Amino acid sequence: DTAVSQTPKYLVTQMGNDKSIKCEQNLGHDTMYWYKQDSKKFLKIMFSYNNKELIINETVPNRFSPKSPDKAHLNLHINSLELGDSAVYFCASSRRGQGYEQYFGPGTRLTVT
Amino acid sequence: AQTVTQSQPEMSVQEAETVTLSCTYDTSESNYYLFWYKQPPSRQMILVIRQEAYKQQNATENRFSVNFQKAAKSFSLKISDSQLGDTAMYFCAISNFGNEKLTFGTGTRLTIIP
């Protein structure tokens, strides 16, 4: 069984469109994250949720809005897509607390044309 | 704020040899955790090894071990008896006490040569 799943795995869309990426974890974790990996492979935190509450919000444009309907799901909605949004987006989850392993999803490669 | 530096963008080594990947970090915290993650061509991020800063003993996981030098803020990864499946990007990361986010280095692309 997949521990952290993301849909879709690939997403190609045009500038100006709105798209969503879904993430689900079946590990019973209460903390979930979104990371962005750019074309140079650099990984950076975007958001973190704990028990549906936003706890980390790095400097991310307002066009990006995370939504957590329950502890097992964390979705990422992106409005008015721009070329610079092209990247791989990773969802991750962990137990609450410091030092616990974060389990990553397979990533969603977003290409904006 | 914390930073992580990986000074080796690429490395290659013959199969069965030992290789060491370098990582230095900076943090103002005294309690933190350090990680090495592996990203093979499949893109999946996989935890290789973790180290609690308050533990002096270096962590080991089978063929993987770390050399943690707290005073020097250094956290290198040693891979012994390297295998073809070790070919991947390797990321060093830090997580501070009280802040669960991972801050990653820029990665080292490791290629194991048959």
Side-chain angles (χ1 to χ4, degrees):
Chain A
D1 284 342
T2 304
V4 182
S5 59
Q6 292 179 231
T7 53
K9 287 202 172 74
Y10 298 92
L11 184 54
V12 180
T13 187
Q14 291 184 326
M15 283 175 57
N17 285 349
D18 302 340
K19 291 293 178 186
S20 291
I21 305 171
K22 296 186 176 181
C23 177
E24 177 181 3
Q25 54 95 4
N26 62 6
L27 298 166
H29 292 160
D30 45 19
T31 304
M32 297 184 72
Y33 313 81
W34 278 110
Y35 288 88
K36 178 180 179 180
Q37 186 173 41
D38 63 22
S39 59
K40 294 190 166 125
K41 301 288 189 183
F42 184 62
L43 273 153
K44 188 173 165 65
I45 184 80
M46 299 174 70
F47 302 103
S48 171
Y49 268 75
N50 178 260
N51 280 325
K52 303 196 297 176
E53 180 185 347
L54 180 67
I55 56 173
I56 293 175
N57 184 351
E58 294 290 295
T59 308
V60 177
N62 290 339
R63 300 182 293 103
F64 290 79
S65 52
K67 283 186 172 54
S68 181
D70 55 57
K71 284 196 326 181
H73 295 84
L74 180 62
N75 303 323
L76 183 65
H77 188 75
I78 315 170
N79 289 329
S80 303
L81 278 155
E82 300 177 358
L83 292 176
D85 297 333
S86 294
V88 178
Y89 292 84
F90 284 96
C91 177
S93 74
S94 72
R95 291 172 57 187
R96 182 73 196 270
Q98 287 70 43
Y100 290 114
E101 175 183 356
Q102 292 188 19
Y103 292 79
F104 284 77
T108 296
R109 181 178 292 281
L110 171 65
T111 303
V112 182
T113 61
Chain B
Q2 61 266 33
T3 60
V4 177
T5 302
Q6 294 180 250
S7 58
Q8 304 152 313
E10 293 189 30
M11 295 186 72
S12 60
V13 66
Q14 292 289 137
E15 192 177 3
E17 290 186 348
T18 295
V19 61
T20 298
L21 279 55
S22 300
C23 172
T24 58
Y25 60 91
D26 193 23
T27 179
S28 56
E29 302 291 330
S30 56
N31 291 326
Y32 51 89
Y33 298 84
L34 295 161
F35 304 83
W36 279 98
Y37 276 86
K38 166 185 175 181
Q39 186 178 38
S42 66
R43 202 169 73 197
Q44 182 69 51
M45 294 287 290
I46 303 163
L47 179 68
V48 175
I49 200 164
R50 67 189 279 274
Q51 173 84 41
E52 293 110 332
Y54 61 86
K55 287 189 177 178
Q56 292 188 348
Q57 187 173 6
N58 289 326
T60 62
E61 286 287 341
N62 300 315
R63 298 182 296 108
F64 298 87
S65 61
V66 298
N67 183 4
F68 174 46
Q69 302 288 330
K70 191 171 184 179
K73 293 185 177 176
S74 170
F75 182 62
S76 60
L77 174 70
K78 185 171 88 169
I79 306 175
S80 303
D81 185 26
S82 57
Q83 301 174 358
L84 296 179
D86 295 334
T87 292
M89 283 286 288
Y90 286 82
F91 294 95
C92 181
I94 188 171
S95 169
N96 281 341
F97 188 83
N99 187 337
E100 292 150 339
K101 72 176 185 181
L102 288 171
T103 298
F104 287 91
T106 50
T108 296
R109 185 181 301 278
L110 176 64
T111 302
I112 308 301
I113 303 166

